[in-house]
Amino acid sequence: MSADRRTVLALAGALLAGAAGCASTTDPDDTNGTNDEPSDDDPFDGYETPDFPQIEPTTDIDLETGLLAEQVRGNVDFALELLAQLRDGDPEANLFFSPYSVSVALAMTYAGARGETATEMADALRYELAGEDLHVAFGALEGEFERRNVDGEEVDSGYPGDEEDGDADEDALGFQLSSANATWADEGYPFDDEFLDLLEVYYEAGDHLVDFSGSPEEARQEINEWVEERTNDRIEDLLPEGSIDSLTRLVLTNAVYFLAAWEYDFDPADTEPEPFTSLDGSETDVELMHQREELPYAEIDGHQLVELPYANGDTSMVVVLPADGEFETFEESFDVDRLATMLEETSSPEVDLALPKFGIESTFSLVEVMQDLGMERSFTGDADFGGMTDGDTNDLYIAEIIHQSFLEVDEEGTEAAAATAVVINETAAPEPSERVEMTVDRPFLFYIRDRPTETPLFVGRVVNGETLQDD
């Protein structure tokens, strides 16, 4: 990991809220979300509700623990559904994305949706909470993440050369989970003040007035610069040429940046080239990192799961390695219930782990993906985003959803970044047990999660060793 990556730990931007909950067909104007009692044996239902800070101004809404648990479960469900949709587009490719970023950007959009448009969005995004409840939950999670984020905190890397007194050396990684939102509105267009105020209160989405009508290219460059600044320059040119034009009226953006050291780092001296078998059966030598630690681990029918904690104690990477020769069958059936079952079965043996160093960069248009998930009206002239506008004007639709992501995993930790832009146009249109081994030398799945809230921050799959590492 290069020195410049270790020194950039002070990005601007408020911490972003968690993603969506379970499917609901409730009207977004109805502030009474439905809730079933959580299952006693579901790990996604068992976490304690954090002591959320008060967000001003807001109504006095009591979010029950069970309601938030349903929200979290839906969050994981949406992440896995989105992974399945993106995988189907290119089954042989490695991919990586942030369901967190996608869900937040679309939650801001959902705040202005009405009628069938809102119902479809809630179903596709697995929202359980309705109306202001949903946005209160996003804002509450924002405050919880902000409380735990220690900007620029250094941790002892554990490498030879660290000070004997345990102080971190100058190259030690820190921890950062920063996220920011912004509203880019066409100057002069009659947006509803209550809609803009809601985005500012719950998402801290600063309102930027731009001239989409007269200078769309200048506005596009301004948005891209904002994204680059808030992702440590890892996400560049999020909005490509031609994505913004004179009919664009609103762009809602989210940018998230993550940098964390492992709690148990990998010694670079133990990293060595070993064969990785890709999904098509071909073998490629990749750099495999090695460590032996007591880690949360489960094995069911030959399918292995291990959880690698980061040094801040609240985030981790979960790696799922399907049984040899069964990746495609396992991936097809991998859902929130199966993940919950595997997490339930974890114990803490000494794990002899081999894991590739890897990096992935991905760019997606999510229009077709979200349509396949049932969000159809939003992209047509039948869209109802009347909650965004002041008066009788209701001629807006989603022209594009663009998502870009970056990931690098090495011996010291993980750096990840992602950004999402929603472009809205006016219509012209237990105790340690025996030692186990886990060698990740074939296709695998992974996700980075915030453990106290169970929010999946990033999700990915690795199936192609040839493109796994830079030469």
Side-chain angles (χ1 to χ4, degrees):
M1 192 171 285
S2 61
D4 62 330
R5 290 180 55 206
R6 299 167 182 146
T7 57
V8 284
L9 296 171
L11 298 181
L15 207 12
L16 222 308
C22 282
S24 172
T25 58
T26 53
D27 191 298
D29 295 322
D30 177 13
T31 57
N32 296 315
T34 60
N35 176 44
D36 295 325
E37 287 299 318
S39 169
D40 291 338
D41 57 2
D42 188 338
F44 298 118
D45 291 344
Y47 75 91
E48 295 183 1
T49 307
D51 185 16
F52 295 134
Q54 181 69 22
I55 301 174
E56 297 290 351
T58 184
T59 58
D60 183 15
I61 298 177
D62 181 20
L63 291 175
E64 300 175 4
T65 301
L67 209 60
L68 286 177
E70 288 296 318
Q71 185 88 347
V72 165
R73 183 181 175 84
N75 186 20
V76 179
D77 190 22
F78 172 68
L80 296 179
E81 285 290 336
L82 190 53
L83 175 64
Q85 291 290 329
L86 293 172
R87 172 200 70 214
D88 290 346
D90 193 350
E92 302 295 325
N94 302 329
L95 62 86
F96 177 69
F97 66 97
S98 173
Y100 176 89
S101 178
V102 174
S103 199
V104 168
L106 285 171
M108 292 192 292
T109 311
Y110 174 75
R114 297 293 182 266
E116 288 299 315
T117 300
T119 298
E120 288 183 355
M121 292 187 71
D123 289 344
L125 292 160
R126 307 300 193 264
Y127 289 152
E128 171 65 19
L129 304 181
E132 193 171 1
D133 280 8
L134 178 73
H135 307 298
V136 169
F138 273 72
L141 282 170
E142 173 184 332
E144 171 65 9
F145 289 146
E146 180 69 22
R147 182 185 65 78
R148 288 192 272 113
N149 183 42
V150 182
D151 190 19
E153 179 186 11
E154 292 185 342
V155 295
D156 189 346
S157 71
Y159 290 161
D162 279 359
E163 299 298 327
E164 292 183 1
D165 61 5
D167 292 338
D169 65 23
E170 63 180 6
D171 290 333
L173 280 179
F175 170 78
Q176 184 172 0
L177 171 56
S178 62
S179 181
N181 304 302
T183 304
W184 309 85
D186 191 33
E187 57 186 22
Y189 191 81
F191 286 105
D192 184 75
D193 288 340
E194 290 187 6
F195 168 70
L196 297 177
D197 288 346
L198 184 150
L199 298 187
E200 176 60 30
V201 168
Y202 296 114
Y203 302 92
E204 297 187 12
D207 186 8
H208 302 263
L209 292 179
V210 291
D211 185 10
F212 288 127
S213 301
S215 303
E217 177 60 18
E218 182 179 335
R220 182 185 74 88
Q221 292 177 6
E222 183 178 349
I223 295 170
N224 283 345
E225 289 172 1
W226 181 93
V227 170
E228 290 174 21
E229 180 181 348
R230 283 152 184 80
T231 59
N232 189 28
D233 296 328
R234 292 306 188 183
I235 304 299
E236 298 180 348
D237 297 322
L238 174 66
L239 293 172
E241 290 187 16
S243 59
I244 300 297
D245 59 31
S246 60
L247 291 174
T248 300
R249 296 293 173 260
L250 180 69
V251 176
L252 300 172
T253 52
N254 164 263
V256 58
Y257 181 77
F258 177 82
L259 179 65
W262 301 119
E263 181 171 346
Y264 309 110
D265 52 271
F266 296 81
D267 189 340
D270 294 332
T271 300
E272 54 188 6
E274 298 180 44
F276 181 94
T277 303
S278 298
L279 193 59
D280 64 4
S282 62
E283 287 192 355
T284 307
D285 280 348
V286 303
E287 296 291 314
L288 278 186
M289 309 180 293
H290 293 266
Q291 68 171 222
R292 182 180 296 168
E293 296 288 347
E294 293 177 1
L295 298 169
Y297 171 87
E299 181 174 351
I300 301 176
D301 299 328
H303 308 304
Q304 296 174 285
L305 175 148
V306 69
E307 182 172 9
L308 304 174
Y310 293 104
N312 73 308
D314 286 329
T315 54
S316 65
M317 176 182 287
V318 176
V319 178
V320 180
L321 180 66
D324 195 8
E326 299 183 27
F327 179 84
E328 291 171 295
T329 302
F330 179 92
E331 189 179 32
E332 285 287 345
S333 63
F334 191 57
D335 59 14
V336 62
D337 293 317
R338 193 164 193 179
L339 174 59
T341 297
M342 295 191 76
L343 290 172
E344 275 186 328
E345 294 298 318
T346 57
S347 58
S348 298
E350 186 177 62
V351 181
D352 193 349
L353 177 66
L355 179 72
K357 295 172 59 173
F358 62 102
I360 305 174
E361 295 185 45
S362 300
T363 301
F364 307 102
S365 168
L366 297 179
V367 171
E368 185 174 346
V369 170
M370 296 309 300
Q371 287 173 329
D372 289 342
L373 288 174
M375 198 175 117
E376 299 177 355
R377 290 175 178 265
S378 299
F379 306 101
T380 72
D382 293 329
D384 183 356
F385 288 108
M388 295 182 178
T389 59
D390 185 15
D392 296 330
T393 303
N394 187 16
D395 52 2
L396 301 177
Y397 72 101
I398 298 177
E400 183 62 279
I401 305 172
I402 301 173
H403 182 77
Q404 190 178 146
S405 58
F406 166 92
L407 172 72
E408 185 173 332
V409 177
D410 63 15
E411 291 91 347
E412 294 182 63
T414 301
E415 183 182 22
T420 306
V422 181
V423 180
I424 298 172
N425 280 13
E426 185 176 6
T427 52
E431 289 297 314
S433 59
E434 74 282 359
R435 179 184 302 168
V436 298
E437 291 187 3
M438 182 170 172
T439 300
V440 186
D441 60 356
R442 57 182 186 270
F444 64 95
L445 307 170
F446 68 95
Y447 76 101
I448 296 171
R449 66 171 177 163
D450 177 74
R451 292 194 288 188
T453 65
E454 286 290 358
T455 299
L457 303 171
F458 301 91
V459 176
R461 71 194 294 258
V462 172
V463 298
N464 188 336
E466 186 175 350
T467 61
L468 198 58
Q469 299 167 355
D470 294 332
D471 295 332

